[in-house]
């Protein structure tokens, strides 16, 4: 179990974080909130909790500052999404290829549609699909990478709807059309920060009644 530091507060310019004790004495819970050797399960008590089968501390890229996967609601605002792409260090390049795939079995595959953006440089050096001459002549897109990802989000919103219980999503991700109904959401992944390879996909989460 991780050691608990001796200090009882963390001070900063904007205030103080008061630290709680590691254990609450009046509980028989198997995993207390202060036991940082365990991560909280996802889900809720209605349909059960799901325990993570990976260690978040150990899945970060070893040679890149950004990476991994983030999931978010379809209600995200454009300005917030653009801020996210800046946090991810995506840049505003237009020299990229775009690849689209659609799932025939979303409940198994975990996505509805996915879009991958790969920079021209990654096509040359990561995938080794372009020659130097082809790289020099690679045509630019009209949209930047962040704009392209946002366009995908808008497209999927129009296709599937933005409210829970959308008829097009019914049953696609295990919903029962009554107590648990699908609502559109998204995932985004930095596949390779250095080579500027990104992926975004539409999915659904279950709104439980």
């Amino acid at each position: 179990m991780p050691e608990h530091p001796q200090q009882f507060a963390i001070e900063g310019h904007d205030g103080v974080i008061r630290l709680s004790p590691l254990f609450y004495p009046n509980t028989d819970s198997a995993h207390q909130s202060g036991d940082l050797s365990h991560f909280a399960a996802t889900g809720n008590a209605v349909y059960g909790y799901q325990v993570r089968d990976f260690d978040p501390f150990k899945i970060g890229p070893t040679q890149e500052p950004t990476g991994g996967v983030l999931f978010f609601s379809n209600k995200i605002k454009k300005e917030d999404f653009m801020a996210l792409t800046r946090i991810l260090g995506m840049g505003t390049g237009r020299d990229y290829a775009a690849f689209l795939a659609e799932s025939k079995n979303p409940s198994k595959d975990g996505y509805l549609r996915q879009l991958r953006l790969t920079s021209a440089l990654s096509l040359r050096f990561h995938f080794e699909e372009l020659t130097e001459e082809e790289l020099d002549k690679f045509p630019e897109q009209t949209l930047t990478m962040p704009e392209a990802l946002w366009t995908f989000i808008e497209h999927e919103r129009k296709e599937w709807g933005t409210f829970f219980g959308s008829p097009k999503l019914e049953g696609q991700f295990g919903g029962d059309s009554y107590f648990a109904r699908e609502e559109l959401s998204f995932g985004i992944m930095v596949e390779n920060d250095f080579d500027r390879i990104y992926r975004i996909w539409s999915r659904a989460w279950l709104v439980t009644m």
Side-chain angles (χ1 to χ4, degrees), residues 45-101:
V46 178
Y47 278 77
Y49 292 103
Q50 297 87 49
V51 178
R52 290 178 172 84
D53 57 0
F54 63 91
D55 186 341
F57 292 134
K58 299 178 180 178
I59 62 174
T62 59
Q63 300 179 37
E64 298 171 346
T66 59
V69 179
L70 175 69
F71 299 97
F72 55 93
S73 164
N74 76 72
K75 296 178 176 62
I76 191 170
K77 297 179 180 179
K78 183 177 182 179
E79 56 266 32
D80 294 332
F81 181 77
M82 291 302 174
L84 171 62
T85 64
R86 291 193 295 273
I87 291 171
L88 296 177
M90 192 171 296
T92 56
R94 300 174 188 266
D95 55 336
Y96 62 88
F99 305 94
L100 184 70

